[in-house]
């Protein structure tokens, strides 16, 4: 597709369960970002990939959160032992980061809304 | 570490009047500055950016922003507001000497009244 695609768009789970959120970036974009947006807040940085490797994971809140991008394209954000406080919209973005002409603009998907009951 | 501040939670303006949404930033190096807009239940959409050059940057939907280095500000402006401009606006900054991540402000809700 032409834009960043995120699935599922909505996920309701119970406390303690495991959740995976998927992001399919724009074709050719080498950089991929995960952000978390709680109600009434700005997007909070979680992790950033350049290719297959995590270039900056300083925003992951704890070791229950993990993300992978094994082939440098699709990424999965994994949350173990979910807690009610994990409820938020998880946003994925991609960019031409690291390539010639890159100036920092990110292209966002519409997000995955996670609700932990 | 870089940061941005959006001092106003909400800005109200009448249709046809000029609007300003404020943003100040803090970085250790030279900043890349961005404005994004978010409509209800939608992802963030890029509006405009400042990288270098002219301090007045023009973007999508008639919006513009002025970079002021001495005041460390990057306020978003539009000469004549439309009801359809009502949305949530986010300022973001990237420190050129740091990683490629963007740091976002807390957002300002713009309400344009007919």
């Amino acid at each position: 597709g032409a834009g960043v695609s995120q699935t599922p768009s909505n996920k309701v789970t119970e406390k303690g369960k495991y959740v995976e959120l998927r992001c399919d970036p724009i074709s050719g974009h080498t950089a991929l970002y995960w952000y978390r947006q709680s109600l009434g807040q700005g997007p909070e940085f979680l992790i950033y990939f350049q290719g297959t490797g995590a270039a900056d994971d300083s925003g992951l809140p704890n070791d229950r959160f993990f993300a992978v991008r094994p082939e440098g394209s699709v990424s999965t954000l994994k949350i173990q032992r979910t807690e009610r406080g994990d409820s938020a919209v998880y946003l994925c973005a991609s960019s031409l980061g690291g390539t010639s002409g890159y100036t920092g603009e990110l292209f966002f998907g519409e997000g995955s809304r996670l609700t932990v009951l | 570490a870089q940061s941005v501040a959006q001092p106003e939670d909400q800005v109200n303006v009448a249709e046809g009047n000029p609007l300003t949404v404020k943003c100040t930033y803090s970085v250790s190096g030279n900043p890349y500055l961005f404005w994004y807009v978010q409509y209800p239940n939608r992802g963030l959409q890029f509006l405009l950016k400042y990288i270098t050059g002219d301090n007045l940057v023009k973007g999508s939907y008639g919006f513009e922003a002025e970079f002021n280095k001495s005041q460390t500000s990057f306020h978003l402006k539009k000469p004549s507001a439309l009801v359809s401009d009502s949305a949530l606006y986010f300022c973001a900054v990237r420190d050129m000497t740091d990683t490629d991540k963007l740091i976002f402000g807390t957002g300002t809700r713009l309400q344009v009244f007919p």
Side-chain angles (χ1 to χ4, degrees):
Chain A
V4 177
S5 176
Q6 292 189 245
T7 55
S9 55
N10 278 285
K11 176 70 177 178
V12 180
T13 191
E14 294 179 345
K15 180 172 177 278
K17 299 291 187 182
Y18 170 81
V19 166
E20 288 190 353
L21 306 175
R22 175 189 166 105
C23 173
D24 197 344
I26 293 172
S27 178
H29 280 192
T30 59
L32 185 145
Y33 305 75
W34 285 100
Y35 285 80
R36 177 170 70 175
Q37 187 175 20
S38 300
L39 193 63
Q41 299 296 315
E44 173 194 13
F45 171 78
L46 296 178
I47 186 170
Y48 148 59
F49 289 88
Q50 182 61 252
T52 60
D56 185 344
D57 64 358
S58 61
L60 294 177
N62 51 60
D63 61 7
R64 295 187 298 105
F65 287 75
F66 189 71
V68 295
R69 194 186 186 200
E71 297 179 355
S73 179
V74 171
S75 175
T76 304
L77 179 65
K78 308 181 180 193
I79 310 174
Q80 299 177 321
R81 305 183 303 280
T82 52
E83 300 178 356
R84 292 192 180 89
D86 298 335
S87 296
V89 176
Y90 289 82
L91 297 171
C92 178
S94 69
S95 80
L96 291 165
T99 61
S100 174
Y102 169 63
T103 53
E105 178 182 346
L106 303 188
F107 296 84
F108 282 83
E110 296 200 351
S112 292
R113 182 177 299 277
L114 174 65
T115 303
V116 182
L117 300 176
Chain B
Q2 65 260 46
S3 65
V4 289
Q6 294 182 245
E8 304 155 316
D9 289 336
Q10 180 153 333
V11 169
N12 299 317
V13 64
E15 188 174 32
N17 283 1
L19 69 88
T20 299
V21 182
K22 295 179 180 178
C23 171
T24 58
Y25 66 90
S26 174
V27 298
S28 55
N30 291 320
Y32 286 173
L33 292 156
F34 303 81
W35 277 100
Y36 283 79
V37 60
Q38 188 174 36
Y39 296 99
N41 301 313
R42 301 297 301 275
L44 280 79
Q45 297 178 31
F46 169 78
L47 272 182
L48 52 77
K49 64 186 175 188
Y50 170 82
I51 305 301
T52 187
D54 194 348
N55 289 343
L56 185 64
V57 178
K58 294 189 183 295
S60 307
Y61 312 122
F63 283 93
E64 58 189 28
E66 186 170 10
F67 171 66
N68 188 317
K69 188 172 183 177
S70 63
Q71 297 185 4
T72 61
S73 68
F74 189 56
H75 301 330
L76 181 70
K77 300 181 180 184
K78 187 173 182 181
S80 179
L82 300 173
V83 172
S84 58
D85 292 330
S86 299
L88 197 53
Y89 290 81
F90 292 98
C91 182
V93 66
R94 174 191 164 213
D95 187 337
M96 290 170 57
T97 62
D98 202 344
T99 69
D100 282 341
K101 67 189 180 191
L102 291 191
I103 300 300
F104 285 84
T106 52
T108 298
R109 183 167 300 283
L110 173 66
Q111 189 72 47
V112 181
F113 295 95

